[in-house]
Amino acid sequence: MKDYNDFFDNNYKLYDKVRPEYPNALYDDILTYKPLVKSSRVFEIGIGTGKATQFFIDFGCQIASVEPGPKMSKFVRNKYKEYIDFSCYNMTFEKYMGMNNTFDLIYSATAFHWLDQNIAFEKSFKLLKSNGVLARFAYHAGKDTANPELMTEIDKLYAEYMPGDKDYKPYSENDAKNAALRASDYGFIDIQYKTYNFEKTFTADEYVKLLSTYPDHMRLSEEIRKEFFSKIKKMN
């Protein structure tokens, strides 16, 4: 997936600025399921610009991570340069060679799906201690049900400029369950899953900037993309 790695790496500043944070309830549930202490060893797969990292930094865990993008990894190392128990390796998780039975928690925030799933699950299982936990979580954008008229107009634009999205279906509880249960094929037990629903308000300009961090949108030709985004902005 080198093209995706390059895309995110070259747009890391915008990514850090506009991608949303994760809900506090998520971290509370992780700690309820797997209590941590300051000596706990934590590993983050695909750290990016650290969108899901600050909580574990503030908690005081020993954190190791991987990030394939050289710009992103440099950014996040500088971001946490004052924190002595933090490290970030500029490599893919598939190439990471850590010691087995090392970590109390391995987590990945909107990154696990980019990995070779067989390698990712198998390696995570080996790297975790016997009572360790793998936490995978990700954002899945839904439609604006509070403004159906606007959503209808946006759907029309997607049908025109990105017709492949016409069969869009919102991420469901069943989707979350099936994604979680995949771990059972690799030795994981006591598998749980949760979904967190919340709304975030964007201006038209903020929304377009967010879309600019999605590879599928940016794969449109520059001319088509400008026209598409321009029409979205006019809906403000």
Side-chain angles (χ1 to χ4, degrees):
M1 306 302 291
K2 186 178 185 301
D3 56 338
Y4 288 112
N5 291 336
D6 289 344
F7 172 79
F8 290 124
D9 202 44
N10 290 329
N11 293 277
Y12 74 94
K13 290 182 180 179
L14 183 61
Y15 185 100
D16 187 60
K17 183 177 181 180
V18 305
R19 283 291 181 109
E21 309 295 333
Y22 295 90
N24 291 332
L26 166 68
Y27 301 112
D28 291 340
D29 286 337
I30 289 175
L31 286 186
T32 298
Y33 186 82
K34 175 60 181 177
L36 300 173
V37 296
K38 291 187 180 298
S39 61
S40 295
R41 300 196 65 183
V42 173
F43 190 93
E44 181 170 1
I45 302 172
I47 191 171
T49 61
K51 283 292 181 178
T53 314
Q54 191 63 51
F55 173 86
F56 298 100
I57 291 284
D58 293 340
F59 197 84
C61 297
Q62 300 176 39
I63 303 171
S65 63
V66 289
E67 170 51 49
K71 296 175 184 177
M72 275 188 163
S73 57
K74 181 179 179 180
F75 173 88
V76 80
R77 282 196 295 267
N78 185 64
K79 184 177 183 178
Y80 296 120
K81 63 183 178 182
E82 303 298 328
Y83 189 70
I84 59 174
D85 287 324
F86 171 81
S87 60
C88 178
Y89 303 98
N90 179 208
M91 63 177 63
T92 64
F93 184 55
E94 290 90 340
K95 292 183 178 179
Y96 176 74
M97 300 295 289
M99 293 182 63
N100 293 343
N101 306 309
T102 296
F103 297 102
D104 300 284
L105 170 69
I106 295 176
Y107 71 95
S108 183
T110 318
F112 203 86
H113 62 291
W114 296 119
L115 307 176
D116 180 308
Q117 298 294 283
N118 289 328
I119 295 175
F121 277 114
E122 290 173 358
K123 182 169 289 189
S124 295
F125 189 85
K126 291 177 180 179
L127 289 172
L128 285 167
K129 296 177 182 178
S130 60
N131 62 343
V133 168
L134 171 64
R136 300 159 52 221
F137 46 96
Y139 272 109
H140 295 276
K143 293 190 175 184
D144 184 2
T145 56
N147 196 337
E149 292 182 0
L150 176 61
M151 200 68 253
T152 296
E153 294 304 309
I154 291 178
D155 283 344
K156 290 179 181 178
L157 288 180
Y158 271 95
E160 179 180 356
Y161 292 99
M162 296 183 68
D165 280 8
K166 64 182 179 181
D167 295 326
Y168 165 82
K169 293 180 181 179
Y171 197 76
S172 67
E173 284 281 333
N174 196 52
D175 291 328
K177 178 180 179 180
N178 290 336
L181 290 178
R182 286 200 63 183
S184 64
D185 295 333
Y186 300 88
F188 290 94
I189 59 175
D190 191 22
I191 297 169
Q192 297 183 16
Y193 70 94
K194 289 192 176 183
T195 57
Y196 307 85
N197 298 309
F198 56 94
E199 295 180 357
K200 184 172 178 59
T201 302
F202 298 94
T203 65
D205 186 61
E206 289 170 340
Y207 184 60
V208 166
K209 286 181 179 178
L210 177 64
L211 296 181
S212 297
T213 67
Y214 294 132
D216 56 347
H217 288 66
M218 299 306 288
R219 278 182 166 175
L220 296 171
S221 69
E222 184 175 0
E223 180 181 359
I224 295 298
R225 185 175 67 252
K226 285 184 177 180
E227 184 177 307
F228 179 31
F229 285 0
S230 176
K231 289 184 178 181
I232 289 178
K233 286 185 177 182
K234 289 178 181 178
M235 292 181 176
N236 192 15

